[in-house]
Amino acid sequence: MDALSEPEKRKADNFKLPIMRRRYIAVRFLLRKTLANYLQIEPRALQFQADTYGKPFLACGSLHFNISHTADLLMIAVANFADIGIDVEAIKPRGNLDGLAARCFAETEYQAWRQLSGAQQEEVFYRLWTKKEAFVKAVGRGLALGLDKCEVRLEAGGQFVSIPAEFGGAADWQITEL
């Protein structure tokens, strides 16, 4: 807990559920430790800021990162360029996967997705969701940008077909599945 800033400590204290508090502290500690290792400084010395849309960045500007966590899994992406995003999701059955896909997929994605079997639909849903969410996190806009504004090929390893024009061409972006 010593590596955390005072605002991080206050935020940790605001969690009502102990497990959520422990996860928050672990995420912040591991993020600080990872970035500090790259920069060869003490974790506590890191200074974070947020852009207009709330995407955090290091005040030094020499290293960029993005994080995603779900349950007990944390992923940290680190790069020497700003537009980096990552997403990880726990795959779990959802009651209305079709309704969510209809809202979050581009029309051509949705129609192709509907042609898949149930088991394939779940796998492909999460594949597309994580790619789209990583993109909206990379550009710092989050879900407010609209996941349906990005179109991704359905197959494993599929890349962007289209993205909002303000972020360049789809071919300018690379998706890596882990």
Side-chain angles (χ1 to χ4, degrees):
M1 186 99 153
D2 289 339
L4 274 59
S5 68
E6 289 307 314
E8 288 169 322
K9 290 176 184 177
R10 283 192 300 274
K11 185 170 181 177
D13 288 339
N14 286 332
F15 284 96
K16 293 190 183 352
L17 296 175
I19 190 167
M20 298 306 286
R21 180 177 185 271
R22 285 193 303 272
R23 283 183 179 158
Y24 174 79
I25 291 169
V27 165
R28 296 309 298 180
F29 173 77
L30 291 170
L31 175 64
R32 283 182 170 275
K33 186 170 178 7
T34 300
L35 297 175
N37 283 341
Y38 276 97
L39 296 170
Q40 298 180 352
I41 63 173
E42 289 297 317
R44 183 128 172 71
L46 293 171
Q47 297 293 315
F48 294 93
Q49 295 179 337
D51 69 12
T52 307
Y53 296 101
K55 182 179 180 180
F57 64 92
L58 287 172
C60 67
S62 61
L63 193 64
H64 304 277
F65 69 94
N66 198 249
I67 66 171
S68 183
H69 51 90
T70 181
D72 290 333
L73 181 61
L74 166 68
M75 295 186 77
I76 302 171
V78 180
N80 61 356
F81 53 88
D83 294 335
I84 181 145
I86 192 165
D87 187 53
V88 61
E89 298 288 336
I91 296 177
K92 55 188 174 217
R94 292 181 179 260
N96 188 12
L97 203 57
D98 186 74
L100 194 54
R103 286 190 308 278
C104 298
F105 290 178
E107 185 60 28
T108 53
E109 286 172 322
Y110 178 64
Q111 293 306 324
W113 178 82
R114 290 195 66 203
Q115 301 303 310
L116 302 173
S117 70
Q120 289 175 312
Q121 281 184 342
E122 184 176 69
E123 175 190 335
V124 171
F125 174 85
Y126 281 102
R127 180 183 307 129
L128 296 184
W129 177 277
T130 55
K131 290 177 181 185
K132 290 167 176 269
E133 189 163 337
F135 174 78
V136 299
K137 289 173 67 179
V139 299
R141 299 293 280 281
L143 296 176
L145 177 65
L147 298 183
D148 62 323
K149 305 282 190 287
C150 311
E151 185 178 348
V152 182
R153 297 195 192 288
L154 270 62
E155 70 271 6
Q159 297 294 307
F160 286 114
V161 173
S162 65
I163 59 172
E166 66 188 285
F167 304 111
D172 297 335
W173 290 82
Q174 180 180 346
I175 302 170
T176 303
E177 294 179 23
L178 304 175

